[in-house]
Amino acid sequence: MESTSENIRFAGRVIAQGGLVAFPTETVFGLGADALNEEAVRNVYKAKGRPSDNPMIVHVAEARQLQQLTDQDMTLLEPLAKAFWPGPLTIVVQKKILVPDVTTGGLGTVAVRNPDNDIARELIMAAGAPIAAPSANLSGRPSPTKTQHVIADLKEKIDVILQGEDCRVGIESTVLDMSEGHPVILRPGIITKEQLENVLLRPVEIDPALIHDPKDRGDFRPKAPGMKYKHYAPKADMVLFQGEDDAVIRQIHRVKEAEEAKGRKVGIIFFSEGEYAKAAHDWFAQLRSLDQDGVDVILAKALSQKDQVGFAVMNRMLKSAGYHVEKV
Ligand code: TXA
Ligand code: MG
């Protein structure tokens, strides 16, 4: 439904009564439930078809609500919230017992985010409770960045879909673990390691599991449970081509012709080096659109992982392609 003030208040009541509401944020759409209501949170897992050991992000309307969810010392948390909230940063902290285990997938920590979207914040206020919300897609499908994507995945399964504009960022928030004293990025996003270090005035680690291909990762197991699942999978087979723009274009065209000669329908996703924010913004929408066109193969250009936003988008690209990369 349209996100009028009246409809947002209605949706807030639906959440307060244990229902499920999808809503826009600046990153991707979320599927929300009262974070403190176990039954409601269980229903989110059910609607998405999501494994229940995968914890949810708890969304708050204002930064100071963080203190309702954790007893952790605020010395480092306050500057983070001041610099990046509202915005696409999720902070993992030790949880208070009031946060149910189902919400955190049984972990002793809780992930908290203050989204930069008026509809989202009004909804949280109207619900009168923090809102647990994973991305509003069926588990394993690309994250939703347009209202239409949410309708396609969840229309029959949830109570309300609040409409919104296309998501400004397009990839999910940076997840930063602050629960153990030293900061660790568990999921890369548009807020980068450098930006975090500039505020925290100390080194920020990147979870080593994010840097390694799962096939040769060995003992590096991702600390964010959600990062271990096959994710963002289009229906088509997908290959990433790594190299200079020109060489990649030539190779993509060669492979395209060969695939088409076999009668396969080919889709291409190409972002020039440097277009990282655009790549983040468009990536999931392009995957969904190619799926809808019924392509059999997706050929895409890999991005440089030296750039931190490029690294964040590549994290999603690699998963979509099942780590299938060809150097050219
Ligand atoms: O941008 C976003 O973060 C979007 C919007 C809706 O806010 N939400 C989102 O949620 O991407 P979801 O559920 O799709 O991804 C949450 C990620 C998962 O990888 C999960 O494992 C991790 O955050 N996570 C949640 N709680 C955690 C915790 N306590 N410790 C470690 N990782 C956690
Ligand atoms: Mg997700």
Side-chain angles (χ1 to χ4, degrees), residues 35 38 41-42 45 50-58 95 99-111 132 223-226 228-229:
E38 293 186 25
V41 171
R42 268 197 205 98
Y45 287 109
R50 176 186 179 115
S52 62
D53 69 337
N54 192 0
M56 289 187 197
I57 293 174
V58 175
K95 80 171 184 77
V99 184
D101 283 343
V102 267
T103 305
T104 64
L107 297 175
T109 54
V110 60
K223 278 186 60 194
K228 70 175 185 266
Y229 295 108

Side-chain angles (χ1 to χ4, degrees), residues 36 111 165 204 240-241 268 309 315 325:
L36 309 181
E165 288 176 3
V204 171
L240 300 175
F241 296 90
I268 294 175
V309 178
N315 172 266
V325 184

Side-chain angles (χ1 to χ4, degrees), residues 90-107:
T90 293
I91 308 176
V92 175
V93 291
Q94 299 293 337
K95 80 171 184 77
K96 282 194 188 175
I97 34 180
L98 114 142
V99 184
D101 283 343
V102 267
T103 305
T104 64
L107 297 175

Side-chain angles (χ1 to χ4, degrees), residues 137-305:
N137 52 284
L138 290 175
S139 197
R141 297 275 300 139
S143 291
T145 59
K146 296 173 187 282
T147 304
Q148 208 48 45
H149 301 159
V150 183
I151 294 173
D153 278 18
L154 295 172
K155 188 169 187 285
E156 310 297 330
K157 301 190 158 151
I158 64 178
D159 301 303
V160 177
I161 297 174
L162 285 175
Q163 294 172 4
E165 288 176 3
D166 295 358
C167 299
R168 172 169 61 79
V169 176
I171 57 171
E172 307 88 341
S173 59
T174 304
V175 177
L176 179 69
D177 186 0
M178 294 297 293
S179 67
E180 287 174 15
H182 60 285
V184 185
I185 293 175
L186 305 184
R187 179 174 72 182
I190 204 114
I191 292 180
T192 64
K193 174 175 144 78
E194 282 76 19
Q195 284 176 292
L196 294 166
E197 285 175 339
N198 287 340
V199 168
L200 290 168
L201 304 174
R202 66 188 64 203
V204 171
E205 196 192 328
I206 295 180
D207 184 352
L210 298 182
I211 298 164
H212 296 81
D213 179 330
K215 282 179 288 241
D216 44 47
R217 184 184 283 163
D219 283 340
F220 294 116
R221 226 155 263 151
K223 278 186 60 194
M227 300 299 284
K228 70 175 185 266
Y229 295 108
K230 184 170 154 64
H231 240 139
Y232 320 119
K235 291 172 195 139
D237 295 333
M238 186 165 150
V239 189
L240 300 175
F241 296 90
Q242 195 167 52
E244 299 293 324
D245 280 6
D246 289 349
V248 168
I249 290 171
R250 281 196 300 274
Q251 181 63 4
I252 284 182
H253 280 284
R254 271 196 292 271
V255 176
K256 178 172 185 278
E257 273 172 28
E259 289 291 335
E260 284 174 347
K262 289 187 255 171
R264 309 229 296 162
K265 191 167 175 188
V266 176
I268 294 175
I269 304 182
F270 189 95
F271 301 109
S272 291
E273 220 44 72
E275 286 188 312
Y276 305 116
K278 181 176 191 305
H281 183 268
D282 291 355
W283 172 249
F284 287 129
Q286 290 213 12
L287 280 187
R288 280 186 181 254
S289 139
L290 290 176
D291 257 353
Q292 215 167 18
D293 295 346
V295 304
D296 304 299
V297 195
I298 298 174
L299 308 175
K301 184 179 164 297
L303 295 174
S304 162
Q305 302 193 67

Side-chain angles (χ1 to χ4, degrees), residues 26-101:
E26 79 280 30
T27 56
V28 302
F29 281 73
L31 172 56
D34 178 345
L36 309 181
N37 177 337
E38 293 186 25
E39 194 52 41
V41 171
R42 268 197 205 98
N43 287 333
V44 173
Y45 287 109
K46 259 189 235 153
K48 275 189 64 117
R50 176 186 179 115
S52 62
D53 69 337
N54 192 0
M56 289 187 197
I57 293 174
V58 175
H59 297 68
V60 294
E62 286 178 85
R64 61 191 167 82
Q65 282 180 286
L66 177 59
Q67 291 177 59
Q68 295 165 11
L69 303 167
T70 187
D71 284 325
Q72 221 177 287
D73 179 71
M74 288 288 144
T75 318
L76 289 178
L77 303 182
E78 223 154 55
L80 278 177
K82 192 149 189 273
F84 300 110
W85 280 0
L89 176 70
T90 293
I91 308 176
V92 175
V93 291
Q94 299 293 337
K95 80 171 184 77
K96 282 194 188 175
I97 34 180
L98 114 142
V99 184
D101 283 343

